[in-house]
Structure formats: structure tokens, C-alpha cells
């Protein structure tokens, strides 16, 4: 049953050192505030999974909190490389990073299998590629009717799913509007789910066939306005494309990265503090640029 | 980047226009961000108004007024005929055989149009010199789309004799290799570069230069290819881009830059 | 690409004798008008699949058009037996009926596999039951990672899918609102799809995450008001519960069944004719009862 | 149907009230049409206001004001927290292990609570005397729900020594048979009839009469059972239904009859 609580409490209560964590969101609704809170609380030895480990995981990796990454595309969308991810893989800084690498289809199907209570998923994929040589979690399976050879991947069953959504009602039912990614699957496949939302409302106003996650599949709901920034929340705010570009500079060197984290993440108490600082700095910047 | 030519367009512009010209109304087209998205939207805004653009974020039939910066921009969701989940887009739509054309880019490509977007150099997969983003949707786009177009600037760093890693399959080691391992799609049917167009030989499936862009020499193409590239006996020259296509493309790019500049 | 055409033309063009046909709808949006048209056109030797073959298939079976039924629950919902179905199985009237019998989960997963372009589906089901003894299309499969034994069923790939929906726009994009059943899966898994709709509109008015089937996965769209009657169409008309009860009487004997078909189906030209006759008869009846 | 008793309620009413009393707020409950739906909604309208009702039509958290006549009534869709596809309800919700209680009926049940809803008599499956509707959702409800309650009038036609067909599994041949074949749920934990309650023996899993309804004798129960039914040493008597539960149930039934009468 969903309990409303501050984000810091949700992370402290539901995320433990060594957990496998999936923070999903497909460009839209990426739970950045929750990622920042993991850094503030210095959660250790995490296995993190995500189709598109973008800035949110670049930060966790750069801070050395991640032991293993399960993923399918690790870049800064529309900008280029994730420098902290590359530094970890290429130079083992700040530590070596174990990789389990899939395709998008493999990840999506593994999440579906997790949500479906199945131990594995079947897809037509990976054939002829080098990916199975480096990922023992990609196997072949035969169709018992046609004999066709297909790929099998084990289900993703993370300890904790973290997603961001637009609204929760008083009972903790959650509404997702717009691009929905794999959020339903990761919540239903996880042992515990934390959902940050833009706001708590009396009535979701959800039509038929809207994407609603009922309160009883969620452990904690946290009201965190702008909780997806610099990603976007349809109906609330746009993607901060400029910050994705800035991240390329911030994250390029270890020093500038650590300075930014010290300033914006460990140097702020919570997401409201982060947003206040961020907005102040960026309105200054715009003024100085103007 | 290619220089401006006297013709009044860059080689990159010619590459994009040429890619757009390959598309037809009514086709369903799985599009990534960047050049493929530009080419597909250019086609939509010119001769192929009824082309169906599908992005892996689950947006089906997107009709963006400006180009998306990410695969899941709200512009895509707001203009789509349907928004479905990411698992659904990969299972029911891509693997389900509903996509005619898949558009891919690459860091490296070999003579059979196999591509690498995973690692380059260093000491193999575990200790690469350059860690690239990885597979994304490419392996299954390469598997399941009716055919695949690859859009890539041509030089000897990207057109290599041997890939450091096979991320997505083109024609494997040639011949009927795709059929042998049960791939439903026809695989890459054309590689559109800033120098010309490469197509697989009908039997061996080895890429051949079949068309060359205006102002480019065959020697230049050969020098930009890391293997002894075969040249078709019937080598043709690409049509220069019409002013209309150039105008529409540049207008789209300007609108896009303007829309995204006021981001914050 | 969807073409608008009269229902009679769609059935004549896209349904051939011997085809495998799936007419889906889960209580809601059952394509009854299309079923009636199959009877008018006397399509022969059909294999029909449907999770819940209710009145619509009872009629096809009673008319001897069906060679084989693939199904998971064959009753008159909330009322009792399907008498024509029972007569065919128990007495082989008007002909023997081959059965391929699944559970709901097995059928739903087989449709998903069909839509997904996979040759089979995996589910945790059927274990310990007698169903696999009578259905060779239920096999066991091992998880390549855990060794768990699961069930496998072949994908459903019907020649023709037929569904009913609320609206189509001018391009032929179709909107389904409310209980959506397996309609998306059956359309995407079929070689050809016929969709009957309540009305054609300029704009579907579909929100984010609405269930929209794009025009290019549909062969024919037919505007057929009340095309789901006696089932219901959310937002248009309610379920005619009284007719489901009446059907128990109509279908109980071969004679009364054939008389009803002669009167209402082969005795009317199209669905508008059927509805006019049906409404006239039932308003008379109500008067005579009153 | 059972007769009215002097107590002011019928045995069917007692059966429904007793089934309702087994449910608790916060449980997720997979409900079929008919008696299970009546019992679950009675629980929701009395002591278990926060019970979560899930129908296989994809309606999650339905709160119908009147009972549905079909599994996909619009009343269910209109009052649900979420409406999902039928494949989703069976994969993500039922097989996904999200359902605490599954409610089943049956045509026949045996001593290990295996059930038959497929065929009866005649010359086996292919030539039955009576063709029943078949499996529906029952096999996987029986497999995957946390536990299963079976609601069924008790007589020697329905409580049989040997099933004509095993449609859904209870405890198979007893003992730890469910675990042996990898079934995640605990299976049937109580059979609620118009005469009493049967529960599986903790080790053998053979059904035992553990509770008997007021006004019913053990001999009567034994006579209504097609095998030598074991009776618990600690046999208890069911609490009579309170007037409040009877009132709420009858009111719900009247509202339902009224709502559905004006159907056309």
C-alpha cells in the first residue's frame, strides 16, 4: 500500500546498499530528484539497470556508487557521450564498472517478463551480433512448435523501481500521461516501487484507458515538484535541453564533475533546495550572457 | 564536415536530401534522432506527406513541426496518432513486422553492412579505447524491419575492414546468411553517405558503390573506404538536390534551432 | 491502408471460405453485425477463434459455417449454456465441430505472440490439468536460466481479424474506449483486419495513451451503427441484457434457432435492416407485455 | 436452492455472507460473475471497504454500484481505478503474482479441490453428455493467486469421487504436489458451500469439513459428498449472518435487478 513520505525517507527506507535498482523513464519523466537523493545518502554497491542510462546514472557512476550497470544505450541524448560512464569503463575511475549489456528490445522484454512473473523473455534478436559473447544472460531457445531459434533473456526483477509521474491521488494511485516508457513494467516487476510525482490531487481525472498504477503496487509516493528536471513532465514543464548540453562540459573532467556535485547535490538539502540553487544560478547566467 | 560546394549545398545536405528521396508515402519508418530524423521529416514535408514516422519512445505517426532533440520529445507525443509503451513498440510493432524501413547510423560499418556502435580500439570489449553508447534499438531494427537504410559520413575510420564489435547485423558474411539465421527483414539495402550510395551485391551481398554524388570522384570514395570497395559497372551519378528540398530542409533546421534555443 | 467500404463488401472481399477468423471483443464491442453478415454470405468451412464464443459464434456454429473452434470459454455470459455450441459438440448438429481448447491466459498470450511476430508464447499455466491431453498445441518448455517448466502455445495468426470500435477518423485511424479486451492484439496478429465502427468523425479526440489503431494496420473500416448490438459500445448504447436472456430460448431448439435466423438475419438485407426489424419487434413485444 | 430457514435467511444467503466474511480490506481479489461477485461486493460494502476487485475484463479496482451481469459490464469500467487489456490482466496482474485471492466456482470438485468446468459424462472429452463452457480464466487463477476460495452448492453431483475432466488444479493428488510442479500460489484454502466450509488438511491436502452451517447436520453434509468426507476433530459451527449483512446483500440484489430490468 502506497505511503506518502518525503523523498529522503523513501530512499532511506526502501533502498539498501547492494540493492538492484531500476530508475526508468524514457526521455520523459526521468526520476532525477530521486537519483540526487541516492547521492546525498551515499548508497553503496548498487547494481543499476536502465535502458538509457543518461545523466542520472552518469552522476551515480561518477560518484562511485555503482558496482554494475545493466543497460542498452548509454549516451547523452542528442548531445554525445556520457563522460563519467566512459571514464569508468575506459579508465576504471572512480572504480571499475561491471557491464551487462543488452539491446533495447532485450531490456524491454526482460522488464515485461519481470512484470509477468516469468523467469525469462523470448525475442527475435541478438542473432549474429557479438553481444551474446559478452553477456551470458543472452541465450538461445527453440520454438517447440516450429523449431525456430530465438533469443532468451532472464527477467528483470529489481529490488527497487523508481519512477516519476505527474499525479497521485490521496490513496496513492498514480497517473502517467504521455510517453510512458517501461514504467509500468518496472514497477510491476520490482519488489518495491518508489514513485515521485509533481503533485497530489483529490481526483486524478483519468479517462478510460489512462495509465494508472494502483496504490497497492507502490511502496512510497513522494511529492517532488520538478522531480524529473532536466527531463520533462508532460503538462508541467519542458525538457531543459540546455542543461543536457551543459552536462557535456560539467561532466567532461573529474574535477568539474565533483565540483558540480558538491555544489548542487551534496551542497543542497533536498530537491527544492537544488531547484532553487539551479534556477538562481541559471538566471544569473542568462543575465550575464544577455 | 563537408565543405560548401559551388553548387550551393554541402555534402551533408546532399546526403540528407538523397536519404529523404529514398522514402515514399505510406511507408512506415522507424527513425532515430539526428540525421535519420532530419531525412525522414524532410521526406514527410516534401514528396512523402503520408509517410508514417515511428520513434522507439512509442510515438506512432509523429508529425513534429520541429525536429526532436531526444527520442522522446513531447513534440513527438503531442503530434502522434498513438503513444504506446516502449515494450509494445519493440514487440507488436517492430518485431511484429509492421515497419517497412529502419534508419540506422553507426560508428563503424564493414563491407557487409554490419555495424558497430559499442566499443572501439583498446584491449577489446572489457578495456576499450572508446566506449560508445551501445546497441539501443539497432540490433532488432536491423533484424525485423522490411529493409534498412544506413546514413553515415564516409571515411576510412568509419568504413572499416574489420569491426571491433558487431552490434547489429547487416549481411553477416554475405550470401544468404540472414535467411540462414532466420532474420525476417531484408537487411541494409542502401548505405547513403556524403560521397555516394552503396548497395549490397544481389548475390554476394558485399557493398558496391552504385551511385556517386556530384563533384565526388571514385578515387575519393575508394580512399574513404577501409577495404577495397567494389564499384558497380553501372555506376550512376546522384541527382543534385533541388532548391525546394534545400529550402524545406534549411527552414526545418532553422525552426528547430529557434524552438530549442528558448529551452529554459 | 484502411479503406472505407460497406460491411457486405468488406466481408466479401476479405473473408474467404476456409479462412481462420478471429472476431474479438470482451463482453464490450463484440462485432455482431459482422457475424450476421458472414451468415448472409454463407461463408463456409471457417476456423473461428475467440476467447469467449458467445452468441455471435453460437449463430455461426448453428448455421454449420464452422469447421473448427479455438476458444477458452463457451457460454452465454450471465445466462448459461450456448445451446447451438452444445448441440454441435454433443450431437454433431448440424455438423461435427472440431475443438481446440485453451484457458483465457493461453488464448491471450497466443494473441500477444501473434501480434509480436513470435511463433509461440510462454505462460505459467495448464500444469496438472487435463487440457494438454486433448490439445496438442499446449506443450512444455524449460526456462534456459532456471530450468523451470512452463507452458508454450503457438501464436494465433488468423487470416482475418474482425473487431468493433467506437470511432474512425477520415484516414481510418480507429479509437477504442473502455474495456479493450484483446482487440489490439488480434488486429496486429492477423493478416487482414476489418473494423466496424459506430461513426466516422473528423477528429478522434483521442488523448495521450488512448487506444488508437492506425489506419495502416487495417484493411477495411465499415461504419455500422449499433454494430455491436446486443453487446454494448461504451458511450453509445448499453448491453441488451434482455436479448442475452431471450437467446437462451431462441437457441434452445434447432427449429426456433433456424426460424430466428431466417427472420432476422437472412431475412434482412444488412445491419440497418436487422436493427429496424429487431426494434420494431421488441417494441411490439414490450407493448404486448405491458 | 436451499429453503428459507426459521432463522430468516436461506442457505444460499448464508453461503454468500460466509464467503464475504473471509475477505479483508486491502486484499486484491480476482472475481468472476455470479456468486463470487456478489460475495466480494458484499464484503466491499460491509467490513472490507478497501478490498480491491479485479475482473478478467481488465477492470482493476472496480466499485460497481450494482452487480455486473457480464464480466465486462460498463459499470465495471466506469468505476475502476484502471482499465487494462485482457492480455495485461493475465500476464502482469494474475501471473505477475499481484492477486491475493482468486474466487472460483465449478461444476464438479474432488477431494483435493481439483475442479471440472469442461465436460460431464458421455463418452469422454470428444463425446460428452454435457458440454460445459470450459476453462475461462480458472486454470491460471488456480495456479497464480495467493490462495483460492471456491464457492459451490454442495451435493453429490458436484462433490464427486472422480472428476470427468481436470480443468483447474486444486491440490492434485495431495501433499506437496503443487510445489512439485512449480505452482506459486497456495491453491484452494477453503471451499464455501451452502452446508459448511471445507479446508485442506495441512499435510495430506485432502478436504475436511471444518465448519458446518447452523441447522445443518454432519450426516447431511456426508450425504451431499461423493466421497467419504473427513470431518475435523475440531468441527465448528458457522456464525449466522448478521441482519446488517443480510440487509446489505438484499439491497444490492434489489438494486441490481432494478438496474438491469430496464435494459433495453
Amino acid at each position: 500500500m502506497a505511503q506518502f513520505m518525503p523523498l529522503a525517507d523513501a530512499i532511506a527506507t526502501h533502498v539498501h546498499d547492494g540493492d538492484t535498482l531500476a530508475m526508468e523513464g524514457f526521455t520523459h519523466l526521468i526520476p532525477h530528484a530521486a537519483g540526487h537523493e541516492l547521492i546525498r545518502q551515499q548508497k553503496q554497491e548498487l547494481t543499476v539497470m536502465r535502458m538509457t542510462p543518461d545523466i542520472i546514472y552518469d552522476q551515480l557512476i561518477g560518484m562511485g556508487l555503482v558496482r554494475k550497470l545493466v543497460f542498452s544505450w548509454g549516451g547523452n541524448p542528442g548531445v554525445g557521450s556520457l563522460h563519467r560512464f566512459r571514464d569508468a569503463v575506459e579508465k576504471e575511475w572512480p572504480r571499475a564498472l561491471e557491464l551487462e549489456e543488452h539491446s533495447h528490445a532485450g531490456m524491454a522484454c526482460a522488464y515485461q517478463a519481470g512484470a509477468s512473473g516469468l523467469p525469462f523473455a523470448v525475442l527475435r534478436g541478438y542473432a549474429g551480433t557479438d553481444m551474446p559473447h559478452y553477456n551470458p544472460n543472452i541465450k538461445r531457445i527453440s520454438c517447440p512448435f516450429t523449431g525456430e531459434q530465438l533469443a532468451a533473456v532472464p527477467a528483470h526483477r529489481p529490488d527497487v523501481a523508481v519512477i516519476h509521474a505527474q499525479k497521485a491521488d490521496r490513496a496513492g494511485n498514480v497517473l502517467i500521461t504521455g510517453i510512458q516508457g517501461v514504467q509500468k513494467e518496472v514497477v510491476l516487476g520490482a519488489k518495491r516501487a518508489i514513485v515521485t510525482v509533481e503533485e497530489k490531487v483529490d481526483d486524478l481525472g483519468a479517462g478510460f484507458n489512462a495509465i494508472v498504477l494502483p496504490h497497492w503496487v507502490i511502496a512510497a509516493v513522494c511529492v517532488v515538484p520538478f522531480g524529473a528536471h532536466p527531463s520533462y513532465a508532460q503538462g508541467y514543464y519542458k525538457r531543459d535541453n540546455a542543461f543536457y548540453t551543459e552536462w557535456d562540459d560539467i561532466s567532461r573532467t573529474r574535477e568539474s564533475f565533483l565540483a558540480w556535485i558538491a555544489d548542487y547535490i551534496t551542497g543542497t538539502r533536498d530537491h527544492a533546495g537544488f531547484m532553487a540553487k539551479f534556477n538562481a544560478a541559471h538566471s544569473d547566467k542568462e543575465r550575464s550572457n544577455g | 564536415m563537408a565543405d560548401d560546394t559551388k553548387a550551393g549545398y554541402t555534402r551533408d545536405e546532399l546526403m540528407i536530401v538523397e536519404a529523404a528521396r529514398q522514402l515514399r508515402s505510406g511507408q512506415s519508418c522507424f527513425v532515430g534522432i539526428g540525421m535519420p530524423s532530419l531525412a525522414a521529416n524532410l521526406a514527410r514535408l516534401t514528396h512523402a506527406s503520408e509517410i508514417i514516422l515511428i520513434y522507439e519512445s512509442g510515438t506512432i505517426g509523429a508529425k513534429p513541426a520541429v525536429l526532436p532533440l531526444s527520442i522522446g520529445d513531447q513534440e513527438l507525443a503531442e503530434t502522434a496518432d498513438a503513444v504506446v509503451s516502449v515494450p509494445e513498440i519493440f514487440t507488436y510493432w517492430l518485431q511484429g513486422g509492421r515497419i517497412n524501413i529502419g534508419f540506422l547510423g553507426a560508428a563503424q560499418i564493414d563491407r557487409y553492412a554490419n555495424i558497430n556502435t559499442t566499443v572501439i580500439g583498446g584491449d577489446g570489449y572489457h578495456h576499450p579505447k572508446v566506449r560508445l553508447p551501445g546497441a539501443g534499438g539497432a540490433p532488432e531494427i536491423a533484424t525485423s524491419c522490411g529493409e534498412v537504410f544506413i546514413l553515415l559520413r564516409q571515411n576510412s575510420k568509419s568504413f572499416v575492414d574489420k569491426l571491433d564489435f558487431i552490434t547489429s547485423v547487416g549481411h553477416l558474411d554475405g550470401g544468404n546468411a540472414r535467411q540462414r539465421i532466420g532474420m525476417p527483414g531484408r537487411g541494409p539495402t542502401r548505405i547513403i553517405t556524403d560521397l555516394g550510395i552503396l548497395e549490397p551485391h544481389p548475390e554476394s551481398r558485399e557493398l558496391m558503390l552504385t551511385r556517386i554524388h556530384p563533384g565526388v570522384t571514385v578515387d575519393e570514395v575508394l580512399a574513404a573506404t577501409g577495404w577495397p570497395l567494389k564499384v558497380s559497372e553501372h555506376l550512376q551519378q546522384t541527382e543534385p538536390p533541388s532548391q525546394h528540398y534545400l529550402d524545406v530542409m534549411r527552414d526545418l533546421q532553422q525552426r528547430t534551432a529557434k524552438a530549442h534555443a528558448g529551452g529554459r
Side-chain angles (χ1 to χ4, degrees), chain A, chain B:
Chain A
M1 297 298 146
Q3 285 192 290
F4 282 91
M5 60 179 81
L7 176 57
D9 294 357
I11 297 292
T13 306
H14 293 295
V15 182
H16 312 304
D17 290 349
D19 272 355
T20 295
L21 203 67
M23 310 180 77
E24 279 290 352
F26 206 84
T27 304
H28 182 213
L29 294 176
I30 299 172
H32 277 276
H36 294 167
E37 190 56 31
L38 289 170
I39 294 172
R40 289 193 194 95
Q41 296 190 21
Q42 286 289 307
K43 297 290 180 183
Q44 300 293 328
E45 296 293 326
L46 301 175
T47 292
V48 293
M49 48 175 63
R50 183 174 160 80
M51 294 183 68
T52 54
D54 59 359
I55 293 179
I56 187 174
Y57 277 15
D58 212 31
Q59 294 176 354
L60 300 180
I61 290 166
M63 293 304 292
L65 307 183
V66 179
R67 189 184 71 72
K68 180 178 175 182
L69 173 67
V70 183
F71 79 113
S72 43
W73 193 86
N76 183 342
V79 178
S81 289
L82 290 177
H83 299 296
R84 297 299 96 223
F85 162 65
R86 284 188 56 179
D87 204 15
V89 174
E90 296 168 10
K91 308 276 171 55
E92 303 194 349
W93 190 92
R95 59 180 293 180
L97 180 64
E98 189 183 337
L99 298 183
E100 178 178 327
E101 191 161 356
H102 290 274
S103 65
H104 275 353
M107 287 288 285
C109 290
Y111 280 127
Q112 282 196 306
S116 301
L118 289 176
F120 72 106
V122 176
L123 68 154
R124 186 178 292 103
Y126 295 118
T129 77
D130 280 337
M131 300 186 73
H133 305 151
Y134 298 98
N135 182 349
N137 275 340
I138 301 168
K139 294 197 177 184
R140 305 304 287 171
I141 193 167
S142 287
C143 171
F145 301 97
T146 64
E148 182 182 352
Q149 293 289 307
L150 295 147
V153 291
H156 284 342
R157 303 286 325 243
D159 296 308
V160 189
V162 184
I163 68 164
H164 186 73
Q166 280 95 344
K167 295 179 193 178
D169 66 17
R170 288 164 181 282
N173 299 303
V174 165
L175 175 69
I176 298 172
T177 305
I179 288 175
Q180 70 211 72
V182 291
Q183 278 97 306
K184 183 184 273 189
E185 287 74 16
V186 70
V187 165
L188 293 178
K191 300 192 184 79
R192 306 180 287 285
I194 298 172
V195 182
T196 58
V197 294
E198 289 297 325
E199 59 174 337
K200 184 175 175 179
V201 296
D202 286 338
D203 183 349
L204 292 178
F208 290 118
N209 314 113
I211 314 291
V212 174
L213 295 172
H215 63 89
W216 48 281
V217 302
I218 298 167
V221 179
C222 314
V223 180
V224 185
F226 296 93
H229 176 275
S231 161
Y232 74 103
Q234 187 85 47
Y236 289 81
Y237 45 90
K238 291 191 170 182
R239 191 170 187 264
D240 187 348
N241 290 314
F243 183 74
Y244 278 85
T245 305
E246 281 169 40
W247 185 252
D248 194 59
D249 281 337
I250 293 166
S251 63
R252 192 171 290 268
T253 73
R254 297 168 186 177
E255 295 70 29
S256 57
F257 165 73
L258 290 172
W260 188 88
I261 293 284
D263 219 12
Y264 283 94
I265 308 302
T266 51
T268 57
R269 213 177 127 178
D270 57 16
H271 195 64
F274 167 82
M275 287 305 303
K277 182 156 195 156
F278 184 93
N279 286 331
H282 287 80
S283 77
D284 285 357
K285 200 180 210 176
E286 274 171 15
R287 272 198 296 277
S288 71
N289 288 347
Chain B
M1 302 289 161
D3 300 320
D4 267 48
T5 68
K6 288 178 205 156
Y9 53 85
T10 67
R11 285 184 177 177
D12 273 6
E13 286 180 325
L14 173 55
M15 171 169 62
I16 299 298
V17 170
E18 184 56 23
R21 286 191 296 218
Q22 309 290 324
L23 299 170
R24 294 192 305 279
S25 253
Q27 286 178 328
S28 56
C29 189
F30 207 96
V31 188
I33 287 304
M35 295 196 299
S37 178
L38 176 55
N41 278 289
L42 176 56
R44 185 174 61 82
L45 295 170
T46 52
H47 64 284
S49 62
E50 299 298 314
I51 193 168
I52 298 139
L53 304 188
I54 295 164
Y55 292 79
E56 66 193 15
S57 54
T59 48
I60 296 174
K63 293 164 278 290
V66 299
L67 296 172
L69 286 195
S70 82
I71 202 80
D73 267 21
Q74 63 186 43
E75 177 79 5
L76 299 176
E78 284 163 359
T79 62
D81 292 327
V83 176
V84 303
S85 76
V86 165
E88 181 178 322
I89 208 78
F90 283 103
T91 54
Y92 291 178
W93 299 85
L94 179 58
Q95 185 177 264
R98 293 283 171 184
I99 316 292
N100 301 130
I101 310 283
F103 247 121
L104 293 176
Q108 291 182 330
I109 186 168
D110 72 11
R111 76 189 68 196
Y112 292 112
N114 304 300
I115 66 178
N116 173 20
T117 58
T118 302
V119 286
I120 289 181
D123 194 16
Y125 176 78
H126 291 291
H127 298 92
K129 177 155 180 288
V130 179
R131 173 65 229 200
L132 302 166
E140 287 78 25
I141 291 171
T143 299
S144 291
C145 288
E147 55 188 312
V148 173
F149 296 167
I150 297 173
L151 201 51
L152 185 61
R153 293 188 192 100
Q154 192 159 0
N155 60 61
S156 57
K157 275 193 173 172
S158 55
F159 284 66
V160 299
D161 188 48
K162 185 161 169 37
L163 298 181
D164 288 329
F165 190 100
I166 302 179
T167 313
S168 300
V169 158
H171 298 285
L172 286 157
D173 54 355
N176 64 354
R178 286 183 65 90
Q179 286 159 278
R180 224 169 42 231
I181 64 167
M183 295 198 149
R186 290 165 59 204
T189 53
R190 55 203 85 178
I191 320 304
I192 302 145
T193 85
D194 52 342
L195 303 181
I197 292 187
L198 285 60
E199 295 178 70
H201 182 277
E203 282 170 21
S204 74
R205 307 281 185 228
E206 184 174 331
L207 294 178
M208 299 184 300
L209 181 68
T210 57
R211 276 197 279 166
I212 193 162
H213 294 331
V216 179
T217 66
V218 170
D219 282 347
E220 195 178 346
V221 181
L222 296 180
T225 310
W227 70 86
L229 177 64
K230 296 196 169 142
V231 179
S232 169
E233 287 174 28
H234 311 288
L235 182 67
Q236 296 190 303
Q237 187 167 297
T238 317
E239 285 279 301
S242 74
Q243 194 57 45
H244 176 59
Y245 278 69
L246 291 170
D247 290 346
V248 172
M249 177 169 60
R250 290 166 186 168
D251 183 53
L252 175 59
Q253 289 175 305
Q254 277 165 21
R255 279 206 314 276
T256 298
K258 200 169 161 191
H260 293 309
R264 189 175 289 150

